[in-house]
Amino acid sequence: MQECRFILLGATGDLALRKIFPALYRASLSGLKPNITACARSPLSTPEFLDKLSTKAKEYIKDLDPKAWADFAANISYTPLDFNKPEDFKALKSTHPNTIIYFSIAPAFFAKACQKLAAVGLNAPNIKIVLEKPLGTNLQSCKDICAQIGKHFKEEQIYRIDHYLGKQSVQNLFYLRHNNPFLAGLLSAHYLDHVQISVLETLGVESRGGFYDPMGALRDMLQNHMLAMLALSTIPANTPTEHTRQAKLEMLRSLKPLNQESLKSQVVRGQYMAGGGFKGYTEEEQVNPHSQTETFVALKLELEHQNWQGVPFYLRTGKRMGASLVQVVFVFKGPPQALVYTIQPQCSLELQLQGMGALKSTLDSGMDAYERLILEVVAGNQSPFNHQDELEAAWRFVDPILQSWQENLTPLLPYAAGSFGPKAAFDLLKQDNREWFVHV
């Protein structure tokens, strides 16, 4: 049984109730014994909070075991916490050798929370903090947030979580090549024509309009999740597991910057219109009716790295698509043939060879991403988490795209809800005599 002290800021929020507490419960079934202090502004007693939490647990946790839940909940206490009241933080003081503070709060409050925690000694070397994205909206804001946090916590104490990186199916992008010399040899510039990465959702923004409208698809999905997937797909296959962080950083730093011409010819942005019984984006709840926010992005990029010279990468992500799909497709040179790695809806590996049909294997997706990442924090393993330098490298590539959109160098193209994006996204590949793969 492994013990830890777990302080959760923002404990009454949707993310905490829907993802973090269920993950902690599942981890407790695997042997973790967390002593949890739940904190939020709501003036609740511990019994009142536990009533609320138990109701949500029945909704979000499949096969909930009442006795196991009771044992888990017995180690949860609730403390009202106002960031403007320094005295509230004194109640959190901990001497546990393994203390984790999870920031399930808006990044705008990160700096203030760190300052208040440090004031009561909750930044000692044994304390780890877990930060949810987004960390900034561009390179400078990312640097500013990290600098504020860095005043109180060292880099080795900081775990910047990306639940996509926590998925075993995503981590397998590296392990498949790392553990299979045959694949490692094939998935290289010598044999590959190009690589495609798609993250498509049939859902619209639903009730997240207030969050999504200032962000858009480029910031919400491509800058973090998709560039991380690209890095895991391209780091050298012989990289030791403990060096994956540095290897990912090397790949992100090798992204070829987009100049003014390539920003026009290699980037597509779109916004879904009404169709198929669905509202258009600007009709969604909490969305500006005149919004110019993109709900779809497609782009072509290259890596200035010796292992990937001459191999273009095509990335696309969008909402209200014709299918829900997360997929990496390695397309080989010569006749149409590819290795298709599907992460969602079902994790699978499919080798398509001309004249032989397809060889497909379904893979185990592994444990829940949040459960896995929490256990990695407890163990002190930072490899599945983002280093500050990784975030900055990704923003450095994305910033010129954002700037070009502010200058209207790339038009915002409409596409029908339920389609696969604007025509320009297909032309992006067609002009190179290629086409998008869709294997659901």
Side-chain angles (χ1 to χ4, degrees):
M1 187 71 73
Q2 189 173 14
E3 295 184 0
C4 73
R5 172 85 191 284
F6 198 95
I7 300 171
L8 179 55
L9 308 182
T12 59
D14 180 67
L15 177 65
L17 298 173
R18 184 167 46 91
K19 292 290 186 181
I20 300 172
F21 278 110
L24 285 166
Y25 165 73
R26 285 189 291 268
S28 72
L29 300 179
S30 303
L32 182 68
K33 188 177 181 181
N35 186 302
I36 302 169
T37 301
C39 307
R41 293 188 63 178
S42 302
L44 301 172
S45 66
T46 293
E48 287 172 332
F49 174 74
L50 289 176
D51 283 345
K52 177 184 178 76
L53 180 60
S54 295
T55 299
K56 292 295 183 180
K58 292 170 186 173
E59 180 181 351
Y60 296 131
I61 301 176
K62 295 179 181 178
D63 303 321
L64 182 69
D65 182 307
K67 184 181 183 307
W69 176 259
D71 292 342
F72 169 72
N75 292 301
I76 301 174
S77 62
Y78 180 82
T79 300
L81 188 72
D82 187 331
F83 286 178
N84 295 315
K85 295 180 179 179
E87 62 272 18
D88 285 2
F89 284 80
K90 293 179 181 178
L92 304 180
K93 291 194 72 172
S94 172
T95 56
H96 195 284
N98 196 354
T99 296
I100 297 161
I101 306 175
Y102 199 115
F103 287 43
S104 184
I105 55 177
F109 297 107
F110 284 1
K112 181 178 283 190
C114 288
Q115 180 186 20
K116 295 293 193 298
L117 290 166
V120 296
L122 278 169
N123 64 335
N126 66 302
I127 290 174
K128 309 162 190 169
I129 60 172
V130 182
L131 307 178
E132 280 281 350
K133 78 174 188 77
L135 282 176
T137 56
N138 56 25
L139 177 59
Q140 189 56 53
S141 61
C142 176
K143 285 183 173 181
D144 291 344
I145 292 173
C146 290
Q148 291 297 318
I149 296 167
K151 291 179 181 178
H152 309 289
F153 291 90
K154 296 179 179 179
E155 181 63 32
E156 56 266 28
Q157 295 176 274
I158 302 170
Y159 294 73
R160 299 174 188 86
I161 198 167
D162 182 339
H163 70 275
Y164 253 67
L165 290 183
K167 295 175 184 288
Q168 186 62 53
S169 51
V170 173
Q171 289 292 319
N172 282 345
L173 284 168
F174 167 64
Y175 293 127
L176 281 171
R177 296 163 57 240
H178 184 71
N179 297 322
N180 294 276
F182 170 72
L183 289 182
L186 282 179
L187 304 183
S188 65
H190 183 71
Y191 294 105
L192 289 175
D193 177 75
H194 70 282
V195 179
Q196 300 179 16
I197 302 178
S198 297
V199 178
L200 311 179
E201 300 176 85
T202 55
L203 293 174
V205 294
E206 308 304 306
S207 60
R208 297 176 68 237
F211 163 80
Y212 192 89
D213 204 38
M215 297 293 290
L218 185 66
R219 291 186 176 103
D220 184 48
M221 187 62 69
L222 194 141
Q223 178 271 335
N224 42 71
H225 301 324
M226 296 188 72
L227 290 184
M229 290 167 64
L230 182 146
L232 282 171
S233 302
T234 55
I235 59 178
N238 60 353
T239 302
T241 304
E242 63 272 20
H243 295 158
T244 54
R245 238 182 165 192
Q246 185 60 38
K248 285 190 297 172
L249 175 59
E250 181 182 345
M251 302 317 300
L252 291 172
R253 284 178 170 169
S254 76
L255 289 166
K256 183 178 180 179
L258 297 172
N259 58 31
Q260 191 164 1
E261 182 56 39
S262 56
L263 283 166
K264 294 178 182 178
S265 62
Q266 293 177 206
V267 182
V268 177
R269 65 170 176 154
Q271 185 185 90
Y272 66 81
M273 303 291 107
F278 295 111
K279 296 177 182 177
Y281 174 71
T282 55
E283 302 169 291
E284 298 280 19
E285 183 181 344
Q286 299 179 27
V287 170
N288 182 339
H290 304 291
S291 176
Q292 293 295 292
T293 297
E294 79 288 351
T295 60
F296 176 92
V297 182
L299 60 84
K300 175 184 177 181
L301 59 81
E302 298 171 67
L303 298 178
E304 293 181 314
H305 190 281
Q306 59 181 4
N307 292 356
W308 295 98
Q309 288 289 342
V311 179
F313 290 75
Y314 300 90
L315 279 60
R316 62 173 173 171
T317 182
K319 290 188 173 293
R320 283 284 182 243
M321 297 277 98
S324 287
L325 184 71
V326 179
Q327 200 166 70
V328 181
V329 182
F330 300 92
V331 183
F332 299 108
K333 295 175 181 177
Q337 46 196 358
L339 183 72
V340 182
Y341 184 66
T342 302
I343 295 168
Q344 292 176 349
Q346 183 181 46
C347 189
S348 66
L349 186 67
E350 182 176 341
L351 182 61
Q352 297 190 344
L353 300 174
Q354 190 179 44
M356 291 183 62
L359 305 174
K360 185 173 182 178
S361 175
T362 300
L363 305 174
D364 182 5
S365 297
M367 69 171 64
D368 169 80
Y370 275 96
E371 178 188 354
R372 181 174 183 270
L373 289 172
I374 286 171
L375 291 173
E376 297 286 14
V377 178
V378 173
N381 178 21
Q382 288 190 310
S383 62
F385 299 86
N386 287 314
H387 190 283
Q388 178 179 341
D389 291 344
E390 292 178 66
L391 296 180
E392 291 185 10
W395 277 122
R396 193 168 287 110
F397 175 76
V398 166
D399 261 12
I401 303 176
L402 292 169
Q403 183 62 38
S404 74
W405 290 357
Q406 291 172 3
E407 298 170 3
N408 292 317
L409 295 180
T410 306
L412 182 66
L413 303 173
Y415 65 94
S419 71
F420 284 91
K423 178 178 179 294
F426 294 88
D427 293 341
L428 183 67
L429 273 74
K430 189 175 181 180
Q431 66 189 7
D432 296 334
N433 294 315
R434 300 178 176 118
E435 60 182 16
W436 291 109
F437 279 69
V438 177
H439 301 287
V440 183

